[in-house]
Amino acid sequence: MNSPFCSNASPPMVVVGAGPAGVRAAQTLLRYGVRPIVIDEAALPGGQIYRQSPSPRGSARQRYGFEHKRAAAIHAAGDQLRAQADYRAQTAVWNAAPGLLDLVHADRLDVLPYSRLLIATGATDRILPFAGWVLPGVYSLGGAQIALKGQNCLLGPRIVFAGTGPLLYLVAYQYARAGGQVLAVLDSASTASQASAMPAMLSQPGTLAKGLYYLCWLRAHGVPVMHSADLIAALGDTRVEGVRARIDGAVRDFACDAVSVGYGLRAETQLADLLDCAFDFDAAQRAWLPQRDADGRASVEGVYLAGDGAGIAGAAYAELAGERSALAMLADSGIDVDLAQVRKLQRRQSALMRFRRGLDRAFPLPAMGADCDDSVIVCRCEEVRAGELRTAATRYAIDDLNRLKALTRICMGQCQGRMCQSGAAELLADCRKIPLSTVGRLRGQAPVKPLPLSALGTSRT
């Protein structure tokens, strides 16, 4: 390898996110003699999927299941970064501009210049609002998993899991193995859609076998797994006492103490948006995603994208994408990289992407439409209900999500639309009888993460 320098130029290369993509990217930069700055909101590397607790309980196998070896490898690589890179834990990027990032750490603000930036911010749960989803006892699938991994606690003794996607089965399995009473797994996807996707998913037989194992284990231990199950409501006055679902046309109630819900994952794209990266609508993921080339280059020079923050493809794919994007950063900086390794990464990514396309067919995202009652709160932060959105959209002939936001305050709260944007877009498209792709997307606004008042007026010394 031919590196013209052994330490960072000024300004440095920066990696945002220390999940699988960010860890492998930073590790690759170090291997070529470049010391990056790594920014991560968590205390320890691993991302959401391989989240570490400062005081872990139980074995790694108990926390990560079949993925415990992969998790251990990512954690080991993360330990290398903490020792050799400029690793900044518990630090959030709340604004981004060309060549500059605004950070907050320990209630203090800082400005970080960069020469090249890799955004590996991962994903969050995709939640579609339903009656009662604001009740205590309703959790996202990711939140349920964090409670189990990070704190070794269950959401409740009797739990119903609902939604769709591979994470639905994984978290239900993890809770049942941990001693939780899983009353039902309600999958909105049909058995027909999953059967039709089988040929594509056979491209990764090992991964498919894990998913089938979770399903078979749940059924073997008496957990009802129901398909074509649409969640109607969480029941209860002051907290969850049950859930109501429509299963093959029949309405059923399940008494429970908690419900965990998720419809796949949604890419975290706010930083790419603030940097004016171009976006395209992805029909399979029903979302706007930043444009990138095969090596992860965004439409803005010096900005790179990898991992689920650029499009949901899973942890294994994220590792490959992180390394490949780092190699592109190095090549664009005039550093000779191993082209044979680039081709190897490309082949492995192509194989994994075929499997990903199979998952998209197996677990299609349900559209939220007329069955969402007007009384349902869509935006929790601003307490905007479905009826208010429909009234505004109809009265003012609104076909654009940003205009709907301006008139109703939808997505103006602390979460900046992370929880409600998907539902609001689906609702607007259904109300106006237009394709989801035509309602547009909400533009990112700083701060993309809440800032403590104590941080205002401070700076790093």
Side-chain angles (χ1 to χ4, degrees):
M1 93 186 47
N2 178 23
S3 174
F5 53 95
C6 295
S7 61
N8 273 351
S10 182
M13 294 188 188
V14 175
V15 176
V16 179
V23 165
R24 291 306 186 197
Q27 188 182 42
T28 301
L29 295 176
L30 283 173
R31 192 166 68 243
Y32 278 81
V34 175
R35 184 172 184 258
I37 295 177
V38 181
I39 308 296
D40 194 52
E41 293 185 32
L44 294 168
Q48 294 291 7
I49 188 168
Y50 302 132
R51 172 179 285 268
Q52 297 189 76
S53 170
S55 303
R57 300 178 184 178
S59 68
R61 189 178 189 93
Q62 289 174 318
R63 292 194 302 276
Y64 306 108
F66 289 122
E67 299 300 306
H68 72 280
K69 291 183 178 179
R70 190 181 292 273
I74 290 293
H75 296 164
D79 289 340
Q80 177 195 10
L81 299 184
R82 294 167 65 199
Q84 299 178 15
D86 184 348
Y87 190 90
R88 304 187 187 183
Q90 296 179 300
T91 301
V93 180
W94 62 269
N95 190 24
L100 290 175
L101 298 177
D102 288 307
L103 313 178
V104 58
H105 169 73
D107 291 355
R108 298 191 70 82
L109 303 182
D110 192 14
V111 177
L112 175 66
Y114 65 85
S115 59
R116 299 191 184 278
L117 172 67
L118 174 63
I119 301 174
T121 44
T124 58
D125 292 276
R126 183 196 300 268
I127 305 296
L128 297 177
F130 55 93
W133 76 303
V134 297
L135 281 173
V138 178
Y139 301 85
S140 71
L141 290 174
Q145 197 176 46
I146 288 170
L148 188 61
K149 286 181 182 177
Q151 298 160 352
N152 197 34
C153 68
L154 302 176
L155 302 180
R158 303 177 304 162
I159 314 162
V160 169
F161 291 88
T164 196
L167 188 61
L168 175 67
Y169 293 91
L170 172 59
V171 182
Y173 163 79
Q174 290 172 331
Y175 264 69
R177 284 293 301 266
Q181 185 181 354
V182 179
L183 299 182
V185 176
L186 308 177
D187 189 346
S188 64
S190 67
T191 54
S193 67
Q194 293 176 2
S196 68
M198 196 61 68
M201 291 193 292
L202 283 170
S203 64
Q204 296 294 314
T207 305
L208 175 61
K210 293 174 188 176
L212 292 175
Y213 174 82
Y214 300 141
L215 172 62
C216 293
W217 190 97
L218 289 167
R219 285 180 167 161
H221 288 77
V223 177
V225 177
M226 304 178 185
H227 295 275
S228 301
D230 297 321
L231 185 61
I232 298 174
L235 308 175
D237 294 325
T238 59
R239 63 163 293 108
V240 170
E241 298 173 4
V243 296
R244 178 168 296 158
R246 184 180 296 105
I247 304 168
D248 288 327
V251 175
R252 289 188 56 180
D253 290 351
F254 300 83
C256 63
D257 306 297
V259 56
S260 184
V261 185
Y263 294 91
L265 299 174
R266 184 194 62 79
E268 287 273 29
T269 60
Q270 292 90 344
L271 296 183
D273 195 2
L274 291 178
L275 291 167
D276 287 329
C277 294
F279 279 65
D280 287 325
F281 184 77
D282 186 289
Q285 298 187 27
R286 297 180 72 81
W288 288 87
L289 300 175
Q291 293 178 4
R292 65 195 188 283
D293 70 8
D295 293 303
R297 297 179 184 88
S299 61
V300 174
E301 186 177 356
V303 178
Y304 304 77
L305 303 156
D308 283 348
I312 309 304
Y317 188 93
E319 288 189 52
L320 304 176
E323 181 178 354
R324 191 170 174 187
S325 292
L327 292 172
M329 295 169 75
L330 293 164
D332 293 346
S333 301
I335 299 173
D336 293 337
V337 299
D338 185 350
L339 296 181
Q341 177 66 7
V342 174
R343 290 190 291 271
K344 178 181 176 181
L345 293 170
Q346 183 179 16
R347 289 192 298 270
R348 294 174 64 189
Q349 285 178 288
S350 296
L352 288 175
M353 188 50 65
R354 183 171 181 233
F355 180 81
R356 179 67 236 180
R357 288 193 289 267
L359 287 179
D360 289 337
R361 287 198 296 274
F363 303 103
L365 299 174
M368 189 184 81
D371 57 345
C372 181
D373 190 81
D374 281 349
S375 64
V376 172
I377 291 177
V378 178
C379 177
R380 299 177 65 151
C381 297
E382 298 293 324
E383 297 187 352
V384 182
R385 298 180 184 271
E388 297 173 64
L389 299 181
R390 289 189 177 109
T391 297
T394 302
R395 178 178 300 170
Y396 301 107
I398 298 174
D399 293 339
D400 177 76
L401 192 58
N402 283 285
R403 187 160 178 243
L404 188 67
K405 173 183 176 180
L407 292 177
T408 65
R409 295 192 58 81
I410 188 84
C411 305
M412 284 191 179
Q414 284 193 352
C415 85
Q416 291 283 293
R418 284 180 177 82
M419 292 295 104
C420 59
Q421 180 175 170
S422 295
E426 296 278 357
L427 201 67
L428 178 58
D430 176 78
C431 178
R432 298 293 293 162
K433 306 304 178 189
I434 56 179
L436 181 63
S437 60
T438 64
V439 305
R441 61 186 179 87
L442 296 181
R443 297 305 308 270
Q445 305 249 353
V448 297
K449 297 293 177 71
L451 289 176
L453 290 176
S454 57
L456 300 181
T458 67
S459 61
R460 188 178 182 184
T461 58

